[in-house]
């Protein structure tokens, strides 16, 4: 019987692109790669880069690993596909595996939310002027759950409640409070930690009136995260 074929030496790209929903069964979704976004090493993955390898291997043939360690499979990918944004994935952690249970707890605490691809470059174009490398085709072997993303944009996006409803991550809610609702970062953290009532404590009447209007905006916006 011939020995098993060892996988080739793979490149890895860690992306911070929203791990989007982990439920009580350990299922989650997110983006493992974002198209046209330069990572910290100066690489951009182009649309269509994964089409051939995903069609050949299918989701079931692409491994889910922890920190790119081939000795630590932690679940299975059930969906892997390209869309306009990047490489969208859905997966399920194996709750019978100790490491997978630890990963589930860490995801819920938002201590672990990076995704990273392990791949072999098939075709790439280097740009001398910008120093960027455009990856046109990549042979995808595995996708890992990791701690530190190389592409600030590929992460687990949000955690589902027990009833299956998608809730915003703390990061998403804080971003909305500061960018769209107009709070300072300190005020946003106070709302997240203690509720809106803490924000009004010690404020003058004019500011409280403004914040009452803001409270209405927050309540109205809550429906956007359902």
């Amino acid at each position: 019987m011939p020995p098993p074929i060892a996988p080739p030496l793979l490149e890895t790209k860690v992306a911070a692109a929203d791990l989007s929903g982990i439920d009580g069964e350990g299922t989650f979704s997110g983006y493992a790669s974002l198209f046209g976004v330069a990572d910290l090493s100066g690489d951009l993955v182009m649309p269509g880069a994964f089409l051939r390898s995903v069609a050949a291997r299918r989701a079931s043939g692409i491994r889910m690993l922890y920190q790119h360690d081939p000795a630590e499979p932690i679940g299975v990918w059930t969906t892997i596909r390209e869309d306009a944004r990047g490489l969208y994935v859905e997966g399920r952690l194996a709750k019978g595996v100790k490491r997978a249970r630890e990963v589930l707890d860490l995801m819920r605490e938002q201590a672990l939310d990076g995704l990273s691809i392990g791949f072999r470059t098939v075709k790439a174009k280097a740009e001398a002027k910008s120093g960027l490398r455009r990856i046109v085709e990549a042979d995808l072997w595995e996708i890992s759950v990791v701690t530190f993303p190389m592409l600030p944009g590929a992460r687990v996006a949000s955690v589902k409640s027990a009833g299956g409803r998608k809730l915003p991550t703390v990061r998403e809610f804080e971003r909305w409070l500061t960018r769209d609702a107009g709070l300072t970062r300190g005020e946003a953290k106070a709302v997240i930690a203690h509720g809106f009532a803490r924000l009004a404590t010690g404020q003058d009447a004019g500011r409280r009136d403004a914040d009452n209007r803001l409270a209405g905006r927050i309540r109205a916006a809550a429906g956007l995260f359902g």
Side-chain angles (χ1 to χ4, degrees), residues 28 139 158:
F28 64 92
D139 185 15
S158 62

Side-chain angles (χ1 to χ4, degrees), residues 18-32 58-60 62-65 73-81 87-95 100 103-104 107 115 143-145 155-158 160 166:
D18 292 338
L19 264 183
S20 125
I22 229 185
D23 65 13
E25 297 304 310
T27 61
F28 64 92
S29 59
Y31 283 85
R58 303 185 181 276
S60 60
I62 296 169
R63 302 303 176 211
M64 181 193 295
L65 303 179
I74 54 173
V76 294
W77 297 111
T78 56
T79 298
I80 301 177
R81 67 170 184 265
L87 187 66
Y88 174 80
V89 298
E90 296 176 2
R92 183 176 64 253
L93 294 168
K95 293 197 297 180
V103 168
L104 176 59
M107 283 182 177
L115 290 177
I143 303 171
S144 288
V145 179
R155 297 187 184 276
V156 185
S158 62
K160 288 182 182 176
K166 290 185 178 180

Side-chain angles (χ1 to χ4, degrees), residues 110-122:
Q110 299 177 0
L112 192 66
D113 63 355
L115 290 177
S116 178
I117 55 174
F119 67 99
R120 181 177 59 86
T121 298
V122 177

Side-chain angles (χ1 to χ4, degrees), residues 6 15 48 67 72 85 87 97 117 172 206 212:
Q67 307 285 12
E72 294 223 61
R85 185 182 181 194
L87 187 66
V97 176
I117 55 174
E172 288 174 327
N212 284 337

